[in-house]
Amino acid sequence: MKKIALFADVQNLYYTVRQGHGCHFNYAALWADVSREGQIVEALAYAIDRGDSKQQQFQQILRNLGFEVRLKPYIQRADGSAKGDWDVGITLDVIEAAARVDQVVLASGDGDFDLLLERAMQRHGVETVVYGVPGLTALSVIRAASRYVPIEGKLLLKH
């Protein structure tokens, strides 16, 4: 059975699904979809911690599905802009996991991950799968992946 590591860029998914579809992402459907490919042996969700109860409920839902939730504090800069970026953490975790699994699944449309996917394939021979919102997923990351799965249909939570 194929061993799979699943990585979810929560901020990217939240904003791209909201922008592209006007709703929320269905993490349970993602888990079910990926599970059909093999056994999820590692699953990490990367989020920003604002400390509110609604977010804490959401994080608990992710944990109940099987994700390890990694949190970073939300930082408001003096100029009003915000910082909350997990790119380096995701990159380190994917490269480490790529040595142990057959497939790496990244749920993010962020083009910064194109080199990461190429390197994981070159160094470790893993299959790489990207889940991203059509039109809001960087072409470079789609091209770098072994396979691209558009976020639509059952992967959306319609209210």
Side-chain angles (χ1 to χ4, degrees):
M1 183 178 250
K2 199 184 287 185
K3 288 193 293 186
I4 302 169
L6 172 58
F7 301 90
D9 182 349
V10 172
Q11 302 306 110
N12 181 276
L13 291 169
Y14 175 79
Y15 289 108
T16 58
V17 170
R18 192 173 74 174
Q19 185 183 337
H21 299 291
C23 62
H24 291 287
F25 183 63
N26 187 338
Y27 286 87
L30 170 69
W31 191 278
D33 209 42
V34 173
S35 292
R36 281 192 279 281
E37 296 274 318
Q39 181 189 4
I40 299 171
V41 294
E42 295 178 48
L44 292 124
Y46 302 84
I48 302 307
D49 186 15
R50 293 172 195 250
D52 65 83
S53 63
K54 203 172 165 120
Q55 255 196 335
Q56 288 165 347
Q57 286 175 326
F58 165 70
Q59 291 158 7
Q60 192 55 52
I61 290 166
L62 292 176
R63 288 184 189 100
N64 292 346
L65 284 171
F67 283 97
E68 176 187 328
V69 178
R70 298 243 170 116
L71 297 172
K72 231 182 209 186
Y74 173 75
I75 297 163
Q76 185 82 40
R77 294 191 184 114
D79 68 359
S81 66
K83 169 109 178 84
D85 186 318
W86 265 109
D87 289 8
V88 172
I90 292 170
T91 298
L92 292 171
D93 290 342
V94 167
I95 284 298
E96 285 181 9
R100 300 187 290 264
V101 298
D102 305 303
Q103 184 183 80
V104 167
V105 177
L106 176 64
S108 177
D110 189 334
D112 290 341
F113 293 124
D114 55 0
L115 293 172
L116 167 64
L117 297 179
E118 288 170 9
R119 183 69 49 90
M121 274 193 275
Q122 289 165 355
R123 292 267 166 90
H124 303 288
V126 292
E127 184 186 357
T128 56
V129 180
V130 167
Y131 280 76
V133 176
L136 297 173
T137 299
L139 288 176
S140 63
V141 83
I142 292 172
R143 281 201 278 286
S146 313
R147 186 161 50 94
Y148 165 67
V149 180
I151 293 175
E152 54 196 10
K154 69 183 183 313
L155 291 169
L156 302 173
L157 276 177
K158 302 274 190 185
H159 296 297

